[in-house]
C-alpha cells in the first residue's frame, strides 16, 4: 500500500506539472505562476527526499536483517556440528539445521520490507496533515488596486486621463508588421470594442495593452503614464485579461476562481457565478467545491469560458480586456455576458476584442481594424450608417444568427442601435 501511495504521489506531481504548463498563460495573467512553481518545487523535492529515504531505509534494513539471519544460521550450524562432533550422524544434523534455518528465516526478509513501508506511510500521513494546515494559514487578503480621488489628485493625475494611443506601430520578430500608426483616446471608464477580421491586429492590441507583449513604437498610456514603463506587478494589479482559450485547472470550482489561494469569500465567488448565470449549474454539481477536471473537460466550451470570466470578476481591476472571451458561448448566455460588460464599464475600462458584433452593440466606441490599420470608428449606429466594412460584417452575421434564432434577435439594443438596424 505504501509503495502504491508513493507512486501515486509521483503521478500527481507529473500531472500537475503538465497541467500547469498547459495553463501557464492563465497562471501568468493571475500572477499565480510563481506560487505554482513554488508548490511544484516543494512537491518534487519532497518526493525526491521521500524516495531516497524509502530506498535508503529499505537497503539498511535489508542489510541488517541479512546479517542477523545469516549469522544466526551459521552459528546454529557450527554449534550443532560442535555438539555432535563425536557422533556418526553429526554432519547430517548440521546440514539439517542449516537447511531448516534457510527455509524458515530467509522469508522473514519480506517482513522487514513491510515494516519499513508501514513506517514511511505513517511519516507521509503526518507530512500531508502538516502541509494542509500550512496551506490553510497562507490565505492573504487580495491586494487593493484602486487609487482614491485624493491620491490621484496629489499624484497630479487628471480625473479624465484615460487610455491614449498615439502613432502605435508594432512588428513581430519574424518581420510581420502587425500595427500601423494607430491613434485613439478613451476615458478611464466605459466600453471600448476592437473588431476586425482574422489577422487584422486586434489581438495584438490586446496583448500590448495587457503587457503580455512589448517592443512597440509610438505611445500607449493610461492615467498619463506610459505602459512600457509599467512593471509586471503594476499590470497585474491594474489589468485583468480574459481570453477564450484560458485554462481551467484540475481541482474545484473554488480553486479555479481563486487560483492564488487569497481566501476570497464564498459570497464574492457566488456573486461572480450568479452574474454569469452559472450558480444553478454549480449547485447541481455540488457547489463551490464541486470537481473540475483537467482543462475543464467536464464542462462545455461555453461554460468553461463563463467560468474564466467569473474568475476575472473576483479581482477588482481598472482595466478588463476580453479577447474573444465569449467565442464559444451560446446566444442565450451571450446576452448575459454583454450585459455584464456594460455593467463593468460603469466603474472600469472594458476593452472587448471580438469578431461577434452582436456582443458589442452597446459599446461606447468601436474601432474597426483591417491589416493593422484603423479603417473606421464610432458607436454601433454610426458605423452602420457609414455602410463600410463594419456594416457589411454585421449584415452577414445578423443574417446567419437571425436564421438560427428563428428570425429573432435576442439582444437588448439601445434606441440608437434599434433605429440604425431598422
Amino acid at each position: 500500500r505504501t509503495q502504491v501511495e508513493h507512486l501515486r504521489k509521483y503521478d500527481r506531481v507529473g500531472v500537475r506539472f503538465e497541467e500547469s504548463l498547459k495553463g501557464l498563460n492563465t497562471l501568468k495573467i493571475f500572477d499565480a505562476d510563481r506560487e505554482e512553481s513554488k508548490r511544484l518545487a516543494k512537491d518534487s523535492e519532497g518526493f525526491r527526499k521521500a524516495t531516497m529515504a524509502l530506498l535508503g531505509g529499505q537497503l539498511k534494513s535489508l542489510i541488517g536483517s541479512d546479517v542477523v539471519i545469516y549469522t544466526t544460521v551459521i552459528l546454529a550450524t557450527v554449534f550443532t556440528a560442535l555438539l555432535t562432533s563425536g557422533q556418526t550422524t553429526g554432519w547430517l544434523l548440521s546440514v539439517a539445521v542449516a537447511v531448516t534455518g534457510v527455509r524458515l528465516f530467509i522469508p522473514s526478509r519480506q517482513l522487514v520490507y513491510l515494516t519499513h513501508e508501514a513506517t514511511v506511510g505513517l511519516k507521509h500521513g503526518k507530512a500531508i496533515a502538516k502541509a494542509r494546515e500550512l496551506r490553510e494559514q497562507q490565505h492573504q487578503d487580495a491586494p487593493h488596486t484602486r487609487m482614491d480621488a485624493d491620491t490621484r489628485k496629489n499624484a497630479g493625475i487628471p480625473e479624465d486621463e484615460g487610455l491614449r494611443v498615439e502613432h502605435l506601430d508594432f512588428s513581430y520578430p519574424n518581420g510581420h508588421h502587425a500595427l500601423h500608426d494607430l491613434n485613439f483616446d478613451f476615458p478611464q471608464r466605459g466600453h471600448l470594442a476592437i473588431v476586425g477580421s482574422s489577422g487584422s491586429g486586434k489581438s495584438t492590441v490586446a496583448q500590448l495593452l495587457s503587457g503580455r507583449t512589448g517592443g512597440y513604437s509610438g505611445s500607449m498610456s493610461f492615467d498619463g503614464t506610459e505602459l512600457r514603463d509599467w512593471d509586471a506587478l503594476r499590470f497585474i494589479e491594474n489589468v485583468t485579461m480574459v481570453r477564450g482559450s484560458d485554462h481551467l485547472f484540475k481541482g474545484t470550482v473554488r480553486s479555479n476562481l481563486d487560483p492564488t489561494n487569497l481566501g476570497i469569500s464564498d459570497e464574492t465567488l457566488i456573486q461572480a457565478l450568479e452574474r454569469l448565470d452559472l450558480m444553478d449549474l454549480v449547485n447541481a454539481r455540488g457547489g463551490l467545491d464541486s470537481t473540475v477536471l483537467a482543462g475543464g473537460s467536464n464542462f462545455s466550451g461555453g461554460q468553461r469560458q463563463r467560468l474564466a470570466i467569473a474568475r476575472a470578476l473576483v479581482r477588482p481591476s481598472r482595466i478588463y480586456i476580453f479577447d474573444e472571451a465569449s467565442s464559444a458561448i451560446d446566444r442565450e448566455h451571450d446576452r448575459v455576458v454583454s450585459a455584464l460588460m456594460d455593467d463593468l464599464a460603469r466603474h472600469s475600462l472594458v476593452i472587448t476584442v471580438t469578431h461577434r458584433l452582436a456582443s458589442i452593440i452597446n459599446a461606447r466606441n468601436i474601432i474597426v481594424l483591417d491589416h493593422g490599420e484603423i479603417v473606421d470608428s464610432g458607436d454601433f449606429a454610426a458605423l452602420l450608417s457609414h455602410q463600410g466594412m463594419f456594416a457589411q460584417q454585421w449584415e452577414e452575421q445578423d443574417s446567419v444568427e437571425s436564421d438560427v434564432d428563428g428570425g429573432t434577435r435576442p439582444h437588448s439594443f439601445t434606441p440608437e442601435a434599434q433605429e440604425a438596424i431598422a
Side-chain angles (χ1 to χ4, degrees):
R1 289 176 182 172
T2 305
Q3 289 283 17
V4 169
E5 285 301 317
H6 193 58
L7 291 176
R8 283 178 179 170
K9 183 176 182 180
Y10 169 74
D11 180 64
R12 286 197 294 270
V13 173
V15 170
R16 186 168 185 172
F17 173 78
E18 181 183 9
E19 189 177 4
S20 297
L21 192 62
K22 290 180 179 178
L24 183 59
N25 284 324
T26 302
L27 289 170
K28 285 184 174 293
I29 288 172
F30 286 87
D31 194 29
D33 54 321
R34 186 179 294 105
E35 183 175 342
E36 182 67 13
S37 176
K38 291 179 180 178
R39 285 198 291 260
L40 279 170
K42 182 179 180 180
D43 289 346
S44 300
E45 181 65 12
F47 172 77
R48 185 191 68 81
K49 290 181 177 179
T51 301
M52 296 306 298
L54 182 64
L55 295 177
Q58 288 178 341
L59 181 60
K60 292 177 181 178
S61 299
L62 182 59
I63 292 174
S65 64
D66 283 349
V67 169
V68 172
I69 291 170
Y70 285 112
T71 300
T72 302
V73 173
I74 292 171
L75 289 176
T77 303
V78 172
F79 186 67
T80 302
L82 291 175
L83 287 177
T84 60
S85 59
Q87 302 176 18
T88 56
T89 58
W91 66 274
L92 288 175
L93 290 174
S94 299
V95 172
V97 169
V99 171
T100 302
V102 170
R103 294 284 295 174
L104 292 179
F105 294 106
I106 295 302
S108 64
R109 298 171 67 199
Q110 184 63 27
L111 182 60
V112 177
Y113 278 110
L114 297 177
T115 302
H116 185 76
E117 289 171 3
T119 304
V120 174
L122 289 173
K123 285 188 175 182
H124 282 176
K126 292 179 180 179
I128 292 172
K130 185 177 181 180
R132 290 174 63 89
E133 291 176 2
L134 289 175
R135 182 178 178 182
E136 293 175 357
Q137 295 174 1
Q138 288 175 347
H139 295 317
Q140 299 176 358
D141 294 330
H144 183 72
T145 60
R146 298 181 181 271
M147 288 192 293
D148 57 32
D150 291 337
T151 302
R152 293 175 55 79
K153 183 176 180 180
N154 294 335
I157 300 175
E159 193 60 34
D160 59 350
E161 186 74 22
L163 176 65
R164 173 167 294 178
V165 175
E166 297 179 311
H167 305 295
L168 175 64
D169 267 69
F170 179 77
S171 296
Y172 286 99
N174 62 5
H176 173 59
H177 197 173
L179 303 175
H180 307 265
D181 196 30
L182 301 191
N183 294 274
F184 60 90
D185 294 312
F186 201 78
Q188 291 180 7
R189 291 172 290 278
H191 188 181
L192 170 67
I194 303 176
V195 302
S197 58
S198 178
S200 61
K202 56 185 185 296
S203 289
T204 300
V205 175
Q207 289 292 104
L208 292 172
L209 289 172
S210 66
R212 305 299 157 189
T213 301
Y216 62 85
S217 60
S219 175
M220 298 179 71
S221 63
F222 185 77
D223 265 358
T225 59
E226 187 67 32
L227 295 188
R228 64 164 57 92
D229 297 330
W230 286 22
D231 57 19
L233 181 60
R234 189 167 183 180
F235 274 107
I236 290 167
E237 290 178 343
N238 290 277
V239 183
T240 294
M241 184 175 182
V242 183
R243 301 168 306 166
S245 59
D246 278 353
H247 194 74
L248 294 182
F249 299 91
K250 182 178 180 181
T252 64
V253 172
R254 184 194 305 277
S255 66
N256 272 277
L257 295 182
D258 185 13
T260 50
N261 296 315
L262 295 175
I264 299 173
S265 68
D266 287 2
E267 181 182 358
T268 300
L269 300 181
I270 291 172
Q271 184 180 26
L273 292 171
E274 288 177 341
R275 295 178 76 179
L276 272 303
D277 195 23
L278 282 168
M279 203 58 234
D280 289 342
L281 172 67
V282 171
N283 281 334
R285 298 191 178 201
L288 293 175
D289 294 315
S290 58
T291 300
V292 177
L293 299 180
S297 58
N298 56 330
F299 291 86
S300 69
Q303 291 168 350
R304 289 196 295 269
Q305 288 188 341
R306 283 190 285 149
L307 279 171
I309 296 174
R311 177 167 54 195
L313 297 183
V314 301
R315 49 181 306 219
S317 294
R318 301 188 64 197
I319 302 175
Y320 290 93
I321 301 175
F322 298 93
D323 186 3
E324 301 290 4
S326 60
S327 58
I329 295 177
D330 56 61
R331 298 292 299 157
E332 178 183 356
H333 291 105
D334 199 23
R335 284 186 299 168
V336 175
V337 175
S338 297
L340 173 65
M341 303 299 177
D342 296 336
D343 186 51
L344 286 177
R346 299 177 183 176
H347 309 286
S348 303
L349 169 57
V350 176
I351 301 174
T352 302
V353 176
T354 183
H355 68 279
R356 294 178 67 175
L357 305 184
S359 63
I360 46 94
I361 288 176
N362 296 328
R364 181 171 177 176
N365 189 30
I366 303 171
I367 295 174
V368 184
L369 293 181
D370 185 36
H371 293 92
E373 297 181 349
I374 298 178
V375 296
D376 208 349
S377 64
D379 61 20
F380 183 84
L383 289 175
L384 282 188
S385 66
H386 293 173
Q387 291 298 308
M389 178 184 296
F390 182 88
Q392 181 181 355
Q393 291 180 356
W394 164 256
E395 290 175 3
E396 294 174 355
Q397 292 183 20
D398 184 56
S399 175
V400 173
E401 293 176 357
S402 293
D403 289 341
V404 172
D405 296 321
T408 62
R409 296 183 179 95
H411 284 277
S412 299
F413 298 160
T414 62
E416 294 81 6
Q418 291 177 349
E419 182 179 353
I421 292 171

